[in-house]
Amino acid sequence: DAKTTQPNSMESNEEEPVHLPCNHSTISGTDYIHWYRQLPSQGPEYVIHGLTSNVNNRMASLAIAEDRKSSTLILHRATLRDAAVYYCSRNTNAGKSTFGDGTTLTVKP
Amino acid sequence: DADVTQTPRNRITKTGKRIMLECSQTKGHDRMYWYRQDPGLGLQLIYYSFDVKDINKGEISDGYSVSRQAQAKFSLSLESAIPNQTALYFCATSAGTGGPRFFGQGTRLTVV
């Protein structure tokens, strides 16, 4: 069965980089990798996505392993507002998606 | 105003009752999705729709049904609610199957 796994929690100091890992060992060649974050009482918010190459946007960077079985969300300088639950997911062309259980990121001042 | 709007935001219902959760979007996206979230877990896909005439089951469709009334409206129904359907429900849209999902604020459903 398809499975996406993430660590339950991570901690970071403010203004330091954060690397959030995700394993998606059953990913197929055409599946996209997405990352979202969720604050309490809110819906998930899109962060970044990619297929094979590393991606950068104003929020974060996404590093995808060469075999695509893992990815890492990189927050270059964590702020207190980055404290949230971060989800990775793999998304098939057929429309299905498999989410991990999320990593709770704590940012310490 | 939110691009993806869900109503109601909170609902308490009794076992055996029929309930409908509604979702509307102003993003102009073709694709719409319903997800369920249980405490401490990720999101599970219930149903998804690529256009008005296309409905597909997700990984946990049993006990649920959907209706795509228009490109901008996608509703989720529980025909006979049971307590283990107590959860957070999210509607989402995307412009393509590989593209990012844009989520609503969620509906907290409690079945007593």
Side-chain angles (χ1 to χ4, degrees), chain A residues 34 36 38 46 87 93-94 97, chain B residues 35 37 48 50 97-101:
Chain A
H34 290 193
Y36 299 86
Q38 187 177 27
Y46 167 72
Y87 295 98
N93 280 335
S97 51
Chain B
Y35 290 90
Q37 186 176 41
Y48 58 105
F50 287 175
T97 52
R101 310 298 196 250

Side-chain angles (χ1 to χ4, degrees), chain B residues 59 75 80-81 101-102 104:
Chain B
E59 54 188 315
S75 60
S80 179
R101 310 298 196 250
F102 293 90

